[in-house]
Structure formats: structure tokens, C-alpha cells
Amino acid sequence: MADWDTIWINTSLATMAVTGNSYGQVKNGAIAIKNSRIAWIGLMETLPKKPEALASNVIDATGKWITPGLIDCHTHLVFGGSRVGEFEQRLQGASYEEISRNGGGIVSTMAATRNASEDELIKAGIPRLSNLIREGCTTVEIKSGYGLETSAELKQLFAARALGATLPVNVQTTFLGAHALPPEFKGRQGDYIEKVIEEMIPAVAENGAADAVDAFCENIGFTAAETEGVFKAAQAHGLPVKLHAEQLSDQGGAALAARFGAMSADHLEFISEDGVRAMAAAGTVAVLLPGAFYTLRETQLPPIDLFRKHGVDIAIASDFNPGSSPMPSLLLMLNMSCTMFRMTPEEALAGATRNAARALGVDADRGTLEVGKLADLAVWNIEQPAELSYWAAYNPLDMLIQGGTVVDFEKELTLPGVMA
Ligand code: NIG
Ligand code: FE
């Protein structure tokens, strides 16, 4: 009997493991899987026997590259309605902050999300998540934060979990109750935070609805002190934390997140060098979101050189949401992070694989091609891995393997409500 289930041969691998060579690459190599995990990786010439003697299924991948399945580590993919009207307002000169202060923004999506049933949220989420899967994503994080009351927050998180159970993708969920102040708490921000701490986090933890807790620390969001209260409650319930920090102004959020051992701090255009140092010391990943930077026409770049200088790992994510990043495409983010943020294509790919896995705390099982990890693989029709950042609005994915099983796009993504 063959040792392995499947082996891909005559291929190039960008393992993204830290091996000292670029992309952790193995050229003219092979990768074998058994029982949903990677069983062997190496050069063709070091295969112990003929491939047919080693695996029941042999796939010749001549001319292709195999990378880890991509990981989108920051999305707000479950929401009701859209914000196309605000898009048009911004084109007329209104700013994101003005729209938010005038009762639009996150709160308008809150209303549409509260009005939607869990089934409606799932149905709306299927084509969005399918779009990410079609581009090679095998893990996607989904946040709540458009319910802003216990039952509606739980509904969003349950919808996110249901999406993960329905589609061939691993979904990690994050509770973001401290995203915006719901109108019924106007003038009582402290009371709302108390509700997040006393009622929502315990309910989320009790239901096992979230894998992490996030907050929006910003002048149009919550203060550092309020964020700290949320973090303490999260930790008391055994949930790791992450933070929307320094997106529009420097609130010291990244340093606060680092103090709580946060898995990531996200956005970070306005972070100070002290904030970067604190992240480096804590091993907190910097998640950069070029879709929001582009959509809001930001001009202050995140300080990539400081992250490099202090050794902070950088991840890249879509931040897919109806307001500041209406773009469910991680490949587009790879291109934007190079063109706009001047990251290298290798940094960008590490940002959507190895470092994204760290930002979600799933790096023991995912994010690189290494023996023992889950077999989440993306097979690409490209000649060099830098092409994943080079092409834009073009998808060179050839095949996707989720937990050792080849994804059948026709069958598995052609569900009711899925765009053909
Ligand atoms: O990551 N910054 C806060 N949250 C989202 C935007 C959500 C929205 O506008 O609906 C973000 O950009
Ligand atoms: Fe976000």
C-alpha cells in the first residue's frame, strides 16, 4: 500500500517557511499529503521511490507553483445592506469621519444587519466568501461589530460560523462589539462599554461564538481606557485580543494592544515608533489594510520601514466591509501592498500566509508548507511567485486544496445564492 494519499510532482513550491532562501522555495520539488496533513516536501531527486509507489494519487504540476492556502486575517464579511450611497457622498467630498459623525457609517450597516435574519446574513455572505476562496483563501477571519447588541452580535458570529461549515474554508471568528456606539446609547458611551464587558463578552464566551476579541480604538470609536476594559474582560474569559489601532489618529492603541499580548494590531497608518517598539517586544503582528487606505484615499502610509527595522511581522488583509473596503479580494491586496505601501512581493505573500496565520493564532497548523501542518495548498499558473503581487484583477489560481481535499469549485461554491 502506498504511504501517502496524494503527491504533486515536478512543481515549484513557495513554502513560506523561514529557511533562509527567498519564499522558502523548493524548485523542481514535490509535496505529499496524508490524512489531511502534509507528509513530505522536498526535491524530486530526493523522493525515496517512484511517485506511483509512494502515493495512490499522483498529480503532475509541471510549470505551476504551490503556496500555502492564502489567509485573509481581517474581514467584516457578514453584514446586511450596502453603503453605496455613502460611496457616492464621499465622491461629492464628504469624509468617512463626517459621515460617521452624522449617524451614517458603521451605524447604518448596524441597522441593516439587525434587520436581517441569520439565514439572510449567511446567504449574503456566501458569494463574498466564495470570492475569497476562488482566489486561493483557505482561512478567513470574520468579525462581528454590526449588531452592537448581544443577540445581533451573536447572530453575526453564528452566521460566520455557519459560513465556515457550509463552504470549503476555515473561518475564524472575532467579536467586535466595541466597534461603534449604537444610537440608543447616545451620550452614554461608558454604559455601552459596560454592556460589552458585563453582558456581551460573557455571552459570546459561553456560546463559544468567537475565537478572539477586537475593538475600534479611535476618535470616532472607543478610547484607550475603554479598550483596556474590553481587553481585561476578554482575557478573563480566555479569549485572545487584537485591535483596530491608529487608523485615523494616534491613540496609543497599538502599545496598549501589545501590553495585552495582542495577536495583532491592525491599520496602523498613524502609529508612533514607540508603538512599533512595543509591538516588536510583544510579538504582535502588524496587519496592514491597503483596501481601506485606498478607499478612504488616505495619504499617510503605514511605517513599513519602522516595522522592518524593529522586526515586527507584517500581515496583509482585505478588511472587506461595506464602508471602508468594499473589496473581497486578497490578491488585489497583495498588489496594492506592493504598489502603494512599497512592500516586496515576498513580504506581501508572507503577509497573506505565514504572518496572517500568526495574526490569528493558527500558525501551529497553517500559514506555511511544512511537514505536519494541515494540507491547505494553493496551486497557481505562474512562473514566479512575485506574479501573485504583480497581476491585478486577474486570478491565476489553478487548484485549491483545503485540509487535504481538492476543492470542487463547480459543486462546492454553486450553492443557492452563489454568483455563477
Ligand atoms: O476596519 N475601522 C473600523 N472598522 C472598519 C470599517 C467598518 C465600516 O466602515 O463599516 C475598518 O475599516
Ligand atoms: Fe476592519
Side-chain angles (χ1 to χ4, degrees), residues 290 293-294 301-302 304 308 316 331-345 347-348 386 388-392:
F293 180 91
Y294 163 86
L301 290 164
I304 305 286
R308 288 180 180 136
I316 297 295
L331 286 180
L332 181 57
M333 300 306 134
L334 293 186
N335 175 270
M336 283 183 173
S337 63
C338 295
T339 305
M340 297 194 310
F341 295 171
R342 296 179 188 277
M343 290 174 64
T344 67
E347 285 172 328
L388 295 178
S389 298
Y390 165 66
W391 304 106

Side-chain angles (χ1 to χ4, degrees), residues 74-76 143 176 179 214 244 267 289 319 321 324:
H74 180 144
T75 87
H76 308 249
K143 300 176 196 296
L176 177 57
H179 193 198
D214 193 350
H244 282 72
H267 286 288
L289 306 168
D319 194 16
N321 74 75
S324 67

Side-chain angles (χ1 to χ4, degrees), residues 214-275:
D214 193 350
F216 185 25
C217 183
E218 190 53 72
N219 49 34
I220 56 166
F222 295 91
T223 64
E226 289 163 341
T227 302
E228 182 163 357
V230 172
F231 281 178
K232 282 188 176 146
Q235 291 196 335
H237 286 86
L239 288 165
V241 299
K242 43 182 46 241
L243 189 64
H244 282 72
E246 274 74 276
Q247 178 185 11
L248 308 167
S249 60
D250 185 4
Q251 307 275 325
L256 170 70
R259 198 145 54 74
F260 279 81
M263 297 192 291
S264 72
D266 305 34
H267 286 288
L268 303 176
E269 281 84 350
F270 288 83
I271 192 174
S272 66
E273 186 159 8
D274 279 349

